[in-house]
Amino acid sequence: MVRKLFTSESVTEGHPDKVCDQISDAVLDAIMEHDPMGRVACEVTATTGLVHVMGEITTNCYVDIQKIVRETVEEIGYTRAKFGFDADTCGVITSIHEQSTDIALGVDKALEAKKGEMSEADVAAIGAGDQGMMFGYACDETPELMPMPISLAHKLARKLAQVRRDGVLDYLRPDGKTQVTVEYIDDKPVRVDTIVVSTQHSPDVDQAAIEKDMIEHVIKPIIPKDMLDDKTKYYINPTGRFVIGGPHGDSGLTGRKIIVDTYGGYARHGGGAFSGKDPTKVDRSASYAARYVAKNVVAAGLASKCEVQLAYAIGVAKPVSVLIETFGTGKIADDKISEIVSRVFDLRPAAIIRDLDLRKPIYKKLAAYGHMGRTDLGVSWEKTDKADILKKEAGL
């Protein structure tokens, strides 16, 4: 037997980096609602009393960025000046300009269309918005086909936010982090070894009460009983105090939680962030497509683990490479699965946008608690509607 421990973390919507992600995606959603063809690359930084919105936006509509910022901060729960950061008193600075015309040249018309290899009328005649590689992953450890450590960490973070919002624990404040260590034997999850919960709180509650409440109201309702035992370790606010938090406790920045957004470190990551980017940016759209491919491969029974790498050149529609890795769990050879995937899925950026219906305001709700495995939101890349055709193509 081979024993190993693997750990993943999540954060709540009040974490300073996640505040910035949500503001970036709120701006994107507002533009997508009125101008689905808008080009958006919106980044945000936040600190005590200040939000700075910056980036490249090309659109034919007007959105009130200051209003979007304040509404988003209020929804997250920073509503009192005593938190050191609140929706009513924070300053909002904007530094926005249009997308570079050099980049737009490649996005507006793909290299293949310029060479006559593709009709300009083709729905997929736009080019990738940047070069780079993107990864998608799926495995059979959970019903949503996600790795168990990140799945449990996200569920704990969402539960932590829920008991705050519902007033069950009225001393909680918006910032928080969770972490779960899962023990594997022969690559199968068998128990939860360690749980860490750090939650911002009011100054008038003692550590013992927080520890008791986190175990009773957050951990026990989420972690399956058969995954806990008398050796499971719990670390609740291990410093002993977490009153100063959010952008007051630490500056925030869009795109600084990319591992939380994806697979918790269980699979590789291409390095590109998602939030604030319209779907012509393959950092976002191709990562969703790679997850879609990987999930359907696992759902089809072609493998119990599947990692997909896609790579693009800026201004070129077709990916320069498609790689499938099943870590020895494939029912057929990985290169055969790659061939089938290339036939079944159109992985040109505009085809991804079309097939996954990405030109609509769906992004703000994804900006906290992960972009993958979100079966609760009904997002298109979590569908397994290609599983049957993959199984047929593989002869299974």
Side-chain angles (χ1 to χ4, degrees), residues 53-73:
V53 182
M54 65 201 95
E56 303 171 332
I57 297 178
T58 304
T59 181
N60 60 21
C61 71
Y62 169 78
V63 296
D64 188 338
I65 290 178
Q66 181 157 159
K67 181 180 179 183
I68 291 168
V69 169
R70 297 191 188 283
E71 287 179 347
T72 303
V73 172

Side-chain angles (χ1 to χ4, degrees), residues 84-140:
F85 181 83
D86 76 287
D88 293 328
T89 66
C90 68
V92 179
I93 300 173
T94 59
S95 304
I96 302 294
H97 56 91
E98 289 188 335
Q99 182 181 58
S100 160
T101 53
D102 293 345
I103 294 174
L105 282 172
V107 180
D108 294 339
K109 186 188 295 186
L111 183 65
E112 295 96 323
K114 294 174 184 175
K115 288 183 173 181
E117 297 169 2
M118 180 193 303
S119 166
E120 292 186 24
D122 191 321
V123 69
I126 70 168
D130 201 353
Q131 69 176 49
M133 67 283 191
M134 299 83 210
F135 287 92
Y137 183 81
C139 63
D140 59 5

